[in-house]
Amino acid sequence: MKCNLRPQSNATIKNKRFPSSSIPAIPSSLVGKIIMREIVTVQVGGFANFIGSHFWNFQDETLGLAADPYGYPLFKTKSLNMDVLYRTGETHQGTLTYTPRLLSIDFQGSLGSVSSKGTLYNEDSNAPSEVVTWVGNVSSHASEPRKKNLFLQSLYQEEQGAPLMNGINGGAKDSQNEIQDTDIVSCLDTGVQFWTDFSKVHYHPQSLYEINGLWMDAQEFDNYGIGQDVFTENIRGEEICDRLRFFIEECDHVQGFQFIVDDSGGFSPLAADFLESVSDEYTNTPVLLYAVRGPSSHMNLSSRKQKVVRDLHDAVSFSRLSSFCKLIVPVGLPFLSRSKASTFLNVKDESPYHCSAVYAAALHSTSLPFRMEALGPTADSSDVCGAVDVNGVVQMLAGQSRQNMVAILDVAMPSPSLTGRQNEQSLPSNLHTLTPEVAEDVDDLQAVESIIVHGAIGSGGCTASVSEVKNAIHGAYASETSRPMFCHLSVARCPLPIPLPFPSIFGNLVGQHGELLGSPILGPASRGSLDVHSIPMAARMRSSSAILPFLENRLRNFHKFGIERGCPGTELLRSWGFGKDEVEDIGETLSKMVRIVNPQSEISSDSDSD
């Protein structure tokens, strides 16, 4: 049997952006048949943008490998439609562009050395306006532009056709001054400050929105009240909605919104206000929301007052965000490195660059079914199966059985081989949660699951066929004593590509193509993109009663600190802009979520009786 293995040398692919002017061709068999089903992605807040940066790097790497004549053959599949996530455009000079259909929202100054206008359209955001509206004295305040790190220098120099020299004006060309991939990897592993530091993607000028006038340290922007009026102040809300409208209006048929929201601080109320506007304007378009938490949000709090603020924030944030979406998926563990999800990884918990890479890999996997070519009932594809759109996943997980809209995200990274001793447990048994406060080993006869497996390794170390994966998963569930009420399976043969700026988080039991080895590789304990080129992945979103502790903790804390007579959070909630009726509505929303999962919950009953 001939195996599809990635070429040994891929440094030239890893270190380059996918050219934005190279638009993937539509298969001739589909011309005239495609009804475009686009997704608009929205990233709100610092950690959400860290995740998004990795997510778009995966897409860019996939596009580059598909276009490369020496690339991994399975990335050349026509069964995954990148137009679902990307848009075509044109600069003022007539150059075609291909950029993410994305709106990113963050602090002013959060883009580091990257301009909010991007690099494609060459628009001068600092050009003086010809309209004079002020005749008084004018003072200007400007900060020194941040220097590009080695990775961004290398991208710039490659696109200029210049030799890769250390420093933009590199000096004499010699081997000591040339930027090496090893130098780039080392630089990123020790020096990432902004999410743009490791982004290799071109963005449209409408994509990157910095909140004007909000220069603030993330540690200060840490609770619901501090961000309560950010969206409505000045004309920010109008500007943000206009940018979203720009992407919506050029779509044929939007299948849904993919929101990634850092809900650990002041960006949560901004996102909630934005989502409320979205739900009013795009009533029939489903929102899939990932509520993400970075490592800094799990720090130990030194005082009781800080704990009250944090617990009330968590309850209010979750209740408000869930009110304006169809499916919400909490993501972010307090100690990712200690979790079962990191069995084959070496993650630094204090590093947003590290943690966000794992979460982004899972989100890449869960998004694959949304862009799979939809096949007829009798048709088959050798590369993919199980296409479903955003609304299909929402209806599957939140519209059946108990209608629980809070899903759990699980991952196997890398996923084990379908055969061999690493698979003494079935592949589903190797899926471990990225959602916090989840109960383990819960038998739930009403559970509903959506599993995505891609790039799985089968017999002989070769990429498994679609039918091999389907048989393995179906066989695993058939032998289980407890199984979900319903499970939808999506399969793709292309693995997860590992771009150059991906952090060195793989353990020494992970091989070049993500295969799990019987003995450790000699050398450093952590391996990165120069050692691991691609990995097989499995991810799962599930609606299960295992989410009950997460929901009960938020209801219990809100009841204890915000509702009970004489509780310490009454004035705090009032200062956040919540009156008595709104506080009761938040409590009822949380109580209803608990009752849906567990109708006999004592916490829910206590809340209702007050």
Side-chain angles (χ1 to χ4, degrees), residues 386-453:
V388 63
D389 63 10
V390 173
N391 188 59
V393 167
V394 167
Q395 293 303 317
M396 186 191 310
L397 296 178
Q400 296 195 49
S401 184
R402 59 167 73 97
Q403 299 187 332
N404 166 37
M405 67 172 296
V406 188
I408 296 168
L409 178 64
D410 304 319
V411 71
M413 182 180 179
S415 64
S417 168
L418 299 180
T419 60
R421 56 185 176 156
Q422 278 91 13
N423 199 35
E424 292 175 0
Q425 288 184 309
S426 65
L427 193 153
S429 299
N430 282 277
L431 287 160
H432 302 297
T433 185
L434 298 177
T435 297
E437 303 169 50
V438 169
E440 295 186 16
D441 303 321
V442 173
D443 292 335
D444 183 4
L445 299 179
Q446 296 185 62
V448 180
E449 300 180 353
S450 173
I451 294 183
I452 303 92
V453 180

Side-chain angles (χ1 to χ4, degrees), residues 43-49 218 260-269 271 290-294 296-297 313 317 321:
Q43 298 161 196
V44 184
F47 193 62
N49 283 306
I260 308 172
V261 176
D262 183 340
D263 79 328
S264 61
F267 280 108
S268 181
Y290 296 97
V292 301
R293 292 284 176 99
S296 63
S297 66
H313 168 88
S317 173
L321 289 174

Side-chain angles (χ1 to χ4, degrees), residues 238-264:
E238 184 179 332
E239 289 176 340
I240 291 171
C241 289
D242 283 346
R243 292 199 178 209
L244 181 68
R245 199 172 293 115
F246 169 83
F247 292 107
I248 294 290
E249 289 179 351
E250 63 183 12
C251 294
D252 291 336
H253 191 106
V254 179
Q255 63 165 288
F257 295 105
Q258 176 178 254
F259 267 73
I260 308 172
V261 176
D262 183 340
D263 79 328
S264 61

